[in-house]
Amino acid sequence: MHVGIQEIVLIIISAAVAALMARRSHRPWLLGIPVQVAVISICTPADPVSTLMIALPCCVMYAFGVLKSGAKPEIVA
């Protein structure tokens, strides 16, 4: 598969947003979201629409699963 410049920009933006949110909310598990977006962009066709159509539901399910698991993430200083 081919990764275009739009997907690379999407990965960078998701990494920046996840890093800011993880730092502010002390939830280090949010850093798993850019990893998911990177894997999804490699596995989907080279257009941002198909990447977002798969990445958004996957990231929401990931966050829901982590929050519903009841695990207390350790606080990162």
Side-chain angles (χ1 to χ4, degrees):
M1 293 275 178
H2 182 263
V3 177
I5 190 71
Q6 294 94 358
E7 285 86 6
I8 294 170
V9 170
L10 185 64
I11 293 168
I12 292 170
I13 290 171
S14 68
V17 170
L20 287 172
M21 290 178 66
R23 186 177 223 191
R24 286 186 182 180
S25 65
H26 301 292
R27 293 184 174 157
W29 57 265
L30 286 171
L31 297 176
I33 291 176
V35 174
Q36 288 182 0
V37 174
V39 170
I40 290 168
S41 66
I42 291 170
C43 296
T44 58
D47 69 293
V49 175
S50 63
T51 302
L52 286 174
M53 286 177 57
I54 296 173
L56 288 176
C58 287
C59 292
V60 169
M61 288 187 295
Y62 168 72
F64 182 74
V66 169
L67 291 173
K68 290 302 265 183
S69 71
K72 300 287 182 190
E74 58 184 67
I75 296 176
V76 177

